[in-house]
Amino acid sequence: MEFKILRVDLSGLKFREEKIDDKTLRRFLGGRGLGAYLALKEIPKGANPLGPENKLYIMSGPVTGTAEGFEAGRTHFVGKSPLTGLIGESNMGGRFAPWMRRSGYDAIVLEGKADRPVWISVINGEPRFHDASKLWGRGVHHAEYLIRKELGVGPKDGGVVAIGQAGENLVRYASIIHAGSRAAGRTGLGAVMGSKNVKAIFVMGDRQPEVADRERFEKGVEHLKEKIGKHPIKDALNKYGTAVLVNIINQIGALPTRNWTKGTFEKAEDISGEALAEKYLVGTRGCWGCQIKCGRLVKTDDPKWGVPEGSKGPEYETIFAVGSNWENGDLQSIIRLNHLLNDLGMDTIEFGNTVAVLMELFEKKDQLPEEKREELLKLLDGIRPLFGCPCPAMELAYRTATRNGIGEVLAQGARALADYFGCDCVAEARKMSLPAYDPRAIKSMALAYATSNRGGCHLRAYAVSFEVLGVPVKTDPLEVDPKKAKMVKEQQDFFASIDSMIVCKFNTFMTPSPEDYVDLLAGATGWDVTAEEIMEIGERIYNVERLFNVREGDPGDYLSRRLVEEALPDGPAKGETAKKALEVLLPAYYEERGWVDGKPTKETLKRLGLEEFMYII
Amino acid sequence: MAKWRIEVIEEFCKGCEICVKVCPITNLYNAGRVDKPVLRMSDRFGYQGYPVVEVVDPSKCTGCHLCDYSCPDLAIHVIKE
Ligand code: SF4
Ligand code: SF4
Ligand code: SF4
């Protein structure tokens, strides 16, 4: 197995090629794993996330773009996060990584900093820099349009990733956007790209990714294809997208509402995947080679919330972030905001949570000290952020992306906004806002959020799958059982491998065990891997990410005060907090991991072959 | 007073006229209250085969952002100079 990296030295405007040896690759696979390993080795301790010493790793994995039908089109980004100051990584759908492999490289690494805006093209093994001054200041849709025009390529040829105004202006949760709507949304890696003065990257080519053992590989692909094709969750995802979750999660009282002060939303029905499908859906779209096709193509009727017909619709997380969390039951406004936030290149989850905090501050402004109240009103400049009202959100989005007035504070994220005005009303872990599952109502999610290396995230371990959806077995979401610690840990390890091969996590609903991937991975790479090895690789990756955090001064595995002290006032989880879940599950989890106080022990590092990083602990 | 620059991305404009209809100054012009509108539909055809919007008198723009916040295609942008 050969893995070729294109190193882009932006300070010297030079390119360099590097090959990763088979042995290293087998320990980390590619994607998230190899990215995290290289980041830990190469990004110096204490690096400024927005300085030239940070690096941005754009990764594919060994199965990326090899065959259709099992969701191998996704791309993984790794770097040091400007939002958390810890490991930053994010997985993006679409077609970029398959095109990147076809262009001749399995990964692209951005290093240093260009002295003026550039964009990069890699076509059939030939990388080039281009002047981006005409693209700077544009939204991602327009930037991609201009790039395609300059190169004379059609909309279906090659792939572009770009940052919007938010990334240029170093908004700490800026995203990287591909094809107008596929986002590497979380941890602010768009700002890292912006800090390096890189507006966009275009990749295209016709090199076919190699497959070592065709026969075994085909067997693996067939196995996955068949299992996915037959499953009811596949149909649900295709029919309603991830928004199918709105009603399901609302019913168990875990849909965060009104800045995490409630667990149910009376207008959930209006913003559900069912409502979206009935009123605004015009088609579905999948990432490269995907048979599930969970992406929504939508329209709106209300001229106030117009989007181009056939533009991409919101995911479940966005519907929560700018919907229920603001008590906003207007689905068309959510569609429009999703479109705008993508164009500006901003993480919808962090933006939604930040504005929710702002709404709460505005509501409670009379409780703020006088000078803080005056400052808030001055910064707001007449804008009235009220729960239930999406109207000022457009203005706030533009102001955040351009750091104008209140936007300067909003650009720092929800935790920073709450701290600035001295009001502890935020739901976060490791300074990153939580996504759309209330951990007070789904106990394992408390552990999953707290132990997520990149901060509050539902995709390091998606405990919702066993607590709510019953995959692979159904558990009671309100029960605090130490056995769940092991389930969360195993899912984290499994997902770390999935993100490194790289396949889409959604197909793990239908193929939830590492055995399902043995033939695929062995066939693609020629390694004689086993299910145990897949899990061990995942565990190694999880520990590498944790080591990165420990080295950078990890704040530890916690959830913010609101979630452990304030009980839910409504719904099936009424009276619940996340306190007990953390008290019981965390020690059990550390035991499983071989960690003490959230840090890997020497024995654990030895067992995983990570001796080179002993110096960190 | 603040100055505003209005930028139309002609390739994205589909000539729906929403921006022209919401612009308060253009409405004042239609009512005969000012001598020039800020926005109007041009007779040029854009990339998508529809007439595109054009800027007539940007100095009258109040920066109210009604046009760019309502353009479905993100084709018009009002930028503070
Ligand atoms: S399931 Fe959805 S996110 Fe996953 S690969 Fe398919 S279209 Fe992309
Ligand atoms: S700029 Fe936008 S709102 Fe105005 S005519 Fe063009 S598409 Fe319609
Ligand atoms: S900002 Fe307001 S005044 Fe200016 S062109 Fe747009 S709608 Fe007209």
Side-chain angles (χ1 to χ4, degrees):
Chain A
M1 176 81 207
E2 188 181 278
F3 196 92
K4 220 155 100 182
I5 298 184
L6 177 69
R7 298 248 178 203
V8 183
D9 168 13
L10 290 153
S11 305
L13 292 183
K14 282 197 292 274
F15 297 103
R16 186 162 59 81
E17 239 179 73
E18 183 187 322
K19 287 195 183 123
I20 298 292
D21 63 83
D22 196 72
K23 220 174 114 218
T24 307
L25 208 55
R26 187 161 174 175
R27 292 172 68 220
F28 297 100
L29 295 180
R32 174 174 155 196
L34 185 62
Y37 174 68
L38 294 176
L40 180 56
K41 276 208 331 192
E42 296 173 2
I43 299 173
K45 177 178 174 185
N48 173 2
L50 299 175
E53 63 272 33
N54 196 2
K55 298 187 183 190
L56 183 64
Y57 301 83
I58 306 170
M59 313 291 294
S60 72
V63 307
T64 300
T66 47
E68 305 203 346
F70 69 100
E71 291 76 70
R74 301 183 64 99
T75 315
H76 210 93
F77 295 79
V78 183
K80 185 173 179 184
S81 163
L83 183 66
T84 64
L86 306 171
I87 187 87
E89 37 113 5
S90 191
N91 192 283
M92 174 189 87
R95 289 145 205 271
F96 187 81
W99 279 114
M100 179 167 75
R101 290 194 92 187
R102 280 155 172 255
S103 82
Y105 295 98
D106 302 301
I108 297 175
V109 183
L110 304 184
E111 312 180 348
K113 176 184 176 174
D115 60 2
R116 72 194 106 86
V118 295
W119 63 277
I120 298 160
S121 70
V122 187
I123 301 176
N124 272 324
E126 267 184 48
R128 267 184 61 197
F129 291 105
H130 305 254
D131 172 23
S133 50
K134 287 214 178 65
L135 271 53
W136 210 249
R138 314 271 161 179
V140 296
H141 293 87
H142 196 209
E144 173 159 353
Y145 171 82
L146 291 173
I147 285 175
R148 291 186 180 280
K149 194 161 142 182
E150 183 170 332
L151 295 172
V153 294
K156 293 219 163 113
D157 298 326
V160 179
V161 285
I163 55 166
Q165 293 90 328
E168 294 171 8
N169 295 319
L170 312 181
V171 172
R172 286 183 184 272
Y173 45 92
S175 54
I176 299 171
I177 305 275
H178 161 64
S181 71
R182 287 292 178 176
R186 309 223 68 195
T187 70
L189 296 176
V192 175
M193 200 159 144
S195 74
K196 303 196 169 307
N197 266 327
V198 176
K199 176 72 181 177
I201 303 172
F202 175 87
V203 286
M204 191 169 86
D206 38 42
R207 182 193 85 153
Q208 289 298 331
E210 59 172 300
V211 167
D213 177 349
R214 203 25 88 182
E215 205 177 312
R216 189 154 186 206
F217 173 75
E218 299 289 349
K219 192 172 142 217
V221 174
E222 278 317 308
H223 168 77
L224 290 172
K225 257 183 166 163
E226 206 195 297
K227 252 185 137 170
I228 295 162
K230 284 199 306 234
H231 206 286
I233 293 187
K234 177 201 151 199
D235 297 326
L237 273 173
N238 180 263
K239 212 160 155 200
Y240 302 121
T242 50
V244 69
L245 288 162
V246 176
N247 283 330
I248 301 176
I249 302 298
N250 189 52
Q251 264 155 26
I252 62 161
L255 182 66
T257 302
R258 204 181 167 84
N259 194 28
W260 300 82
T261 56
K262 289 166 66 193
T264 59
F265 181 36
E266 64 273 17
K267 293 186 184 152
E269 194 69 50
D270 300 347
I271 57 171
S272 65
E274 290 82 347
L276 184 78
E278 191 197 333
K279 294 194 188 133
Y280 310 116
L281 193 70
V282 297
T284 61
R285 181 176 292 170
C287 304
W288 185 90
C290 172
Q291 63 163 321
I292 303 172
K293 299 193 173 48
C294 72
R296 316 281 84 196
L297 301 182
V298 295
K299 60 168 180 131
T300 52
D301 316 317
D302 186 345
K304 196 160 95 213
W305 303 116
V307 292
E309 184 161 337
S311 62
K312 321 295 180 345
E315 301 289 339
Y316 168 63
E317 307 301 328
T318 308
I319 293 180
F320 134 77
V322 307
S324 64
N325 209 24
W326 300 353
E327 286 195 318
N328 169 22
D330 181 345
L331 186 51
Q332 300 200 64
S333 75
I334 297 171
I335 293 174
R336 166 71 177 184
L337 276 162
N338 180 58
H339 186 61
L340 177 71
L341 291 169
N342 283 339
D343 193 58
L344 296 169
M346 239 185 315
D347 177 24
T348 56
I349 302 177
E350 190 69 36
F351 177 76
N353 273 301
T354 308
V355 172
V357 168
L358 184 70
M359 287 171 169
E360 187 164 335
L361 284 168
F362 188 70
E363 192 176 74
K364 294 185 180 157
K365 58 184 177 303
D366 295 334
Q367 295 165 26
L368 293 176
E370 195 181 322
E371 78 201 61
K372 283 287 170 195
R373 178 170 63 243
E374 269 166 24
E375 186 176 3
L376 176 68
L377 293 176
K378 186 158 164 269
L379 284 170
L380 278 170
D381 188 17
I383 302 172
R384 294 166 56 78
L386 299 170
F387 283 111
C389 169
C391 296
M394 298 275 295
E395 177 86 36
L396 291 171
Y398 280 112
R399 289 207 184 200
T400 304
T402 53
R403 287 180 172 259
N404 172 2
I406 188 75
E408 185 64 46
V409 194
L410 298 183
Q412 315 292 333
R415 166 47 81 188
L417 172 68
D419 284 350
Y420 188 78
F421 288 102
C423 165
D424 195 355
C425 56
V426 57
E428 53 92 14
R430 289 190 166 81
K431 286 201 215 137
M432 185 157 94
S433 293
L434 300 190
Y437 311 88
D438 199 307
R440 291 168 288 191
I442 309 175
K443 298 301 180 193
S444 303
M445 284 314 284
L447 181 67
Y449 288 147
T451 58
S452 156
N453 287 319
R454 72 168 183 172
C457 161
H458 58 298
L459 291 167
R460 304 309 97 181
Y462 192 67
V464 175
S465 76
F466 51 85
E467 297 270 49
V468 185
L469 306 173
V471 177
V473 288
K474 178 81 175 77
T475 49
D476 173 2
L478 289 177
E479 192 194 358
V480 179
D481 179 347
K483 278 208 259 345
K484 288 180 177 176
K486 182 157 185 255
M487 297 174 85
V488 167
K489 182 248 177 200
E490 281 176 359
Q491 217 178 24
Q492 287 173 339
D493 294 348
F494 181 43
F495 281 4
S497 277
I498 289 284
D499 275 341
S500 306
M501 291 185 209
I502 304 170
V503 288
C504 178
K505 280 198 190 90
F506 289 162
N507 71 20
T508 63
F509 289 134
M510 305 131 219
T511 53
S513 91
E515 277 85 17
D516 290 316
Y517 293 88
V518 170
D519 284 333
L520 177 82
L521 187 61
T525 57
W527 307 325
D528 190 20
V529 291
T530 58
E532 292 73 49
E533 189 178 343
I534 291 180
M535 292 301 282
E536 192 194 78
I537 295 168
E539 186 174 7
R540 183 176 302 123
I541 295 167
Y542 216 80
N543 277 274
V544 164
E545 292 170 345
R546 178 55 60 114
L547 286 168
F548 190 102
N549 287 357
V550 170
R551 196 189 66 177
E552 301 304 319
D554 194 15
D557 299 313
Y558 72 91
L559 287 177
S560 58
R561 191 199 56 86
R562 171 152 284 179
L563 304 161
V564 287
E565 285 180 15
E566 295 178 23
L568 276 171
D570 61 336
K574 188 172 172 181
E576 296 282 335
T577 70
K579 191 159 186 255
K580 186 165 164 230
L582 287 183
E583 281 170 3
V584 174
L585 297 180
L586 258 181
Y589 174 87
Y590 289 157
E591 180 85 39
E592 284 293 330
R593 279 235 172 271
W595 290 357
V596 172
D597 284 341
K599 286 187 195 139
T601 59
K602 287 213 161 66
E603 294 71 53
T604 304
L605 292 191
K606 217 182 247 155
R607 174 166 61 81
L608 297 168
L610 294 171
E611 288 90 345
E612 59 181 307
F613 299 120
M614 290 276 189
Y615 75 95
I616 293 172
I617 55 163
Chain B
M1 229 185 76
K3 282 247 177 282
W4 302 88
R5 177 161 58 89
I6 304 165
E7 202 175 288
V8 178
I9 306 173
E10 294 202 350
E11 292 93 336
F12 284 16
C13 174
K14 63 177 179 210
C16 68
E17 267 192 272
I18 289 176
C19 55
V20 178
K21 293 220 172 89
V22 295
C23 174
I25 308 301
T26 301
N27 280 308
L28 284 179
Y29 168 78
N30 291 339
R33 304 277 293 278
V34 293
D35 60 340
K36 273 190 217 149
V38 183
L39 303 173
R40 76 163 168 228
M41 297 315 288
S42 74
D43 43 20
R44 279 174 303 108
F45 286 81
Y47 170 76
Q48 310 205 31
Y50 299 108
V52 291
V53 70
E54 73 179 355
V55 182
V56 183
D57 183 2
S59 71
K60 287 199 174 57
C61 171
T62 63
C64 69
H65 286 293
L66 282 173
C67 59
D68 55 351
Y69 289 9
S70 49
C71 170
D73 293 69
L74 308 175
I76 187 165
H77 298 273
V78 178
I79 299 149
K80 198 171 191 169
E81 286 288 64

